[in-house]
C-alpha cells in the first residue's frame, strides 16, 4: 500500500468517525459508521508505520482501540451485574405482584407503600460505576491514540496529527461534561484533514563529494 492509498483510507476513516458523531439516528447505523471508520484508520496507520519504519504509530493506536473495546465489555458486565440487579429489586418493590416479566409491567399498578430508598441508591451507584469505567478506559484509549498520532506527526511533519491527538485526550478527560464529547468529535474532523493534507516526504539529495587536490611535491 503506497502513501496515497494510506492517506485516502485514513482520511475516509476519520471522516466516517466524524459523520458518525453527527448522525441523527443514534443507533445501529451510528455504530456501523464508527466501526468502519476505526478499521480504515487502523489500516492506514499500519501502512504508514511500515512506510516510516516506526511500529509505534500502529501499535499505540491498536492498544488504544483494544482499551476501548475492553472498557466497553467491562461496562456491559458491570451494567448487567450491578445496574440490572438493583433495577429488578426496585421494580419488585414498586410492583409487589410483578412476576419478573418486563412485558407484564404495563398491566401493573405501582405501589410505593413498602418502597425502600436504599434500592434507588444501589441503582444510582451502579450507574455511576458504569460511567466511571467508561471514563477511565476512554482516557486510557485516548492516551495511546495520542502517542500514535504524535509519532506520526513527527514522521510526517504535519502538526495536525498531534493536534487531533491532543484534542482527543483532552476530550476524553472532559467527557464528564458536554464539552469533552464535542472535542472528541472535532478531533475526528481534524484527523481527517491531517490525512488528506499529508505531503510526500522531500527526497534527500545525495551528499556532494569534492575531489581532494593532488598532493604537491616540493
Amino acid at each position: 500500500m503506497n502513501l496515497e492509498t494510506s492517506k485516502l483510507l485514513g482520511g475516509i476513516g476519520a471522516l466516517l468517525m466524524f459523520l458518525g458523531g453527527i448522525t441523527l439516528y443514534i443507533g445501529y447505523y451510528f455504530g456501523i459508521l464508527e466501526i468502519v471508520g476505526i478499521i480504515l484508520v487502523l489500516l492506514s496507520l499500519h501502512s504508514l508505520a511500515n512506510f516510516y519504519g516506526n511500529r509505534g504509530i500502529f501499535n499505540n493506536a491498536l492498544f488504544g482501540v483494544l482499551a476501548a473495546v475492553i472498557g466497553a465489555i467491562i461496562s456491559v458486565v458491570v451494567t448487567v451485574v450491578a445496574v440490572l440487579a438493583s433495577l429488578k429489586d426496585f421494580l419488585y418493590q414498586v410492583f409487589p405482584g410483578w412476576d419478573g416479566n418486563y412485558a407484564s409491567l404495563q398491566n401493573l399498578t405501582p405501589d410505593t407503600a413498602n418502597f425502600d430508598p436504599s434500592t434507588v441508591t444501589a441503582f444510582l451507584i451502579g450507574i455511576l460505576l458504569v460511567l466511571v469505567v467508561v471514563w477511565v478506559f476512554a482516557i486510557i484509549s485516548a492516551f495511546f491514540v495520542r502517542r500514535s498520532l504524535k509519532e506520526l506527526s513527527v514522521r510526517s511533519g504535519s502538526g495536525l496529527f498531534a493536534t487531533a491527538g491532543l484534542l482527543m485526550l483532552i476530550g476524553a478527560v472532559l467527557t464528564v461534561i458536554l464539552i469533552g464529547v464535542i472535542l472528541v468529535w472535532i478531533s475526528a474532523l481534524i484527523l481527517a484533514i491531517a490525512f488528506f493534507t499529508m505531503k510526500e516526504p522531500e527526497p534527500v539529495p545525495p551528499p556532494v563529494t569534492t575531489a581532494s587536490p593532488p598532493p604537491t611535491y616540493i
Side-chain angles (χ1 to χ4, degrees):
M1 190 185 300
N2 57 32
L3 183 61
E4 286 300 320
T5 304
S6 301
K7 288 168 53 178
L8 185 61
L9 283 179
I12 293 175
L15 194 57
L16 287 177
M17 293 166 60
F18 174 76
L19 292 176
I22 59 176
T23 303
L24 295 179
Y25 182 68
I26 307 297
Y28 177 78
Y29 296 104
F30 169 80
I32 290 295
L33 284 178
E34 293 293 320
I35 292 172
V36 173
I38 291 171
I39 291 174
L40 291 179
V41 170
L42 280 178
L43 289 174
S44 174
L45 292 176
H46 182 270
S47 176
L48 291 171
N50 293 331
F51 181 81
Y52 290 112
N54 185 342
R55 297 303 304 167
I57 294 174
F58 173 72
N59 290 341
N60 282 308
L62 181 61
F63 292 153
V65 173
L66 290 177
V69 172
I70 293 172
I73 293 174
I74 294 177
S75 299
V76 171
V77 173
V78 172
T79 300
V80 172
V81 174
V83 177
L84 294 186
S86 57
L87 176 61
K88 271 200 165 186
D89 293 337
F90 171 74
L91 292 175
Y92 276 122
Q93 289 190 17
V94 176
F95 302 97
W98 184 45
D99 58 0
N101 184 5
Y102 288 98
S104 64
L105 286 173
Q106 58 184 350
N107 301 320
L108 299 177
T109 302
D111 181 9
T112 59
N114 299 318
F115 176 68
D116 184 2
S118 64
T119 305
V120 178
T121 303
F123 178 70
L124 294 177
I125 291 176
I127 293 177
L128 180 62
L129 185 59
V130 171
L131 294 177
V132 169
V133 169
V134 171
W135 180 61
V136 170
F137 276 90
I139 294 175
I140 295 173
S141 175
F143 171 78
F144 281 108
V145 172
R146 179 179 181 259
R147 287 182 62 179
S148 168
L149 296 179
K150 190 174 181 180
E151 293 186 22
L152 180 57
S153 176
V154 173
R155 293 287 183 168
S156 65
S158 174
L160 287 177
F161 285 111
T163 302
L166 181 60
L167 276 180
M168 190 175 297
L169 179 59
I170 295 174
V173 174
L174 297 178
T175 47
V176 290
I177 56 178
L178 180 61
I179 186 64
V181 178
I182 295 175
L183 288 178
V184 172
W185 173 58
I186 294 175
S187 70
L189 178 60
I190 296 176
L191 181 59
I193 297 173
F195 275 117
F196 285 130
T197 57
M198 279 183 70
K199 296 181 180 179
E200 293 274 356
E202 295 291 336
V204 179
V208 178
T209 57
T210 57
S212 302
T216 303
Y217 299 98
I218 301 177

